[in-house]
Amino acid sequence: MTIEDSAIMPEAFFTVDGDSYLPGALTRGPWGGAMGGQVVGGLLGWGIEQSGIDPDLQPARLTVDLLRPVLLEPVRIEVAVQREGRRIRLVDAALIQNGRQVARASALFLRRGEHPEGEVWSAPVRIPPIPAGSDGLPPGMPFLIWRYGATATGTPGLAAGEWEQAHSQKFVWARLIRPMVQGHPLTPFTRLAFVGDFTSSLTHWGTGGLRYINADYTVTASRLPDGEYLGLAAASHFGAAGVATGSATLFDRHGPLGTSCALALAQPADAFQPPHPIS
């Protein structure tokens, strides 16, 4: 990347200061004065990718544990390779803030090879059309998101609307439009790590709004996403005694590519406060 490219790159979520990453205002999440889970997961995914990955290895699984609120303060990333084999690589990463671990991630990479013949059953997935008219970069907007419910018309934003209107399957298209770290362009793996956090709101949002905060999320992928848009189709929600699990299918413009799931705990109805005019 040239200096000229860096100059026109949009404001990133983080800037580098020695071995620390300084969060910008866009990292603030919807659950109070802390970073959003998608930003935490995105930074951990970015750190894992920076450790050096063989291009013939597929990022097949990423699990992000959101251990405690990550404050809008400097963080460090610690990365460790847990297994290095001919066909498999397992990498762990931890986010350190004020001397303690606040989040962690585990990524499994599998070597690509010849695909077996034959057909294997999988449930069909309905994919809404990619949104039109999404150009531009409004100030203060970290990403673009469109929600789909009972109708084929997407609703911009993540505050209210169609997801509360009907008790039906939910869908979302998301487009990450800012780099995770200043000076480093977005990659498909970072997009995957970021968007996986939307699984919780997609699968746990009900007629009473978003009443759950996620404790973790996992994405699996048979291939890397292609293009700026990543989508999710809700597949399930099961809840009891304030604990919920939700799953979704991940897709891009070519079709399904993997799955995601999120575990969550019940929260008060007024706890979710989107900080940005995401639309």
Side-chain angles (χ1 to χ4, degrees), residues 14 21 35 39-41 43-44 65-68 70 74-79 93-105:
F14 296 91
Y21 298 88
M35 295 184 200
V39 174
V40 172
L43 183 62
L44 284 166
D65 290 309
L66 305 169
L67 304 177
R68 49 179 54 90
V70 184
V75 294
R76 293 188 299 105
I77 306 174
E78 294 182 353
V79 179
L95 212 60
I96 309 298
Q97 188 172 73
N98 298 321
R100 65 176 181 174
Q101 188 177 117
V102 291
R104 65 186 182 189

Side-chain angles (χ1 to χ4, degrees), residues 232-245:
L232 297 93
S236 68
H237 165 88
F238 304 107
V243 176
T245 175

Side-chain angles (χ1 to χ4, degrees), residues 121-138:
W121 180 89
S122 183
V125 180
R126 181 164 65 94
I127 298 176
I130 291 179
S134 58
D135 294 334
L137 191 64

Side-chain angles (χ1 to χ4, degrees), residues 53-76:
I53 304 298
D54 185 331
D56 289 331
L57 292 176
Q58 163 64 28
R61 189 263 297 157
L62 174 72
T63 296
V64 176
D65 290 309
L66 305 169
L67 304 177
R68 49 179 54 90
V70 184
L71 304 178
L72 303 182
E73 299 176 5
V75 294
R76 293 188 299 105

Side-chain angles (χ1 to χ4, degrees), residues 85-109:
R86 186 174 65 87
R87 301 185 66 191
I88 187 172
R89 192 173 198 256
L90 181 63
V91 184
D92 287 351
L95 212 60
I96 309 298
Q97 188 172 73
N98 298 321
R100 65 176 181 174
Q101 188 177 117
V102 291
R104 65 186 182 189
S106 173
L108 183 66
F109 296 82

Side-chain angles (χ1 to χ4, degrees), residues 58-62 110 192 219-225 250 257-259:
Q58 163 64 28
R61 189 263 297 157
L62 174 72
L110 302 177
L192 195 64
V219 296
T220 67
S222 61
R223 59 177 175 82
L224 285 170
L250 288 164
L257 59 90
T259 62

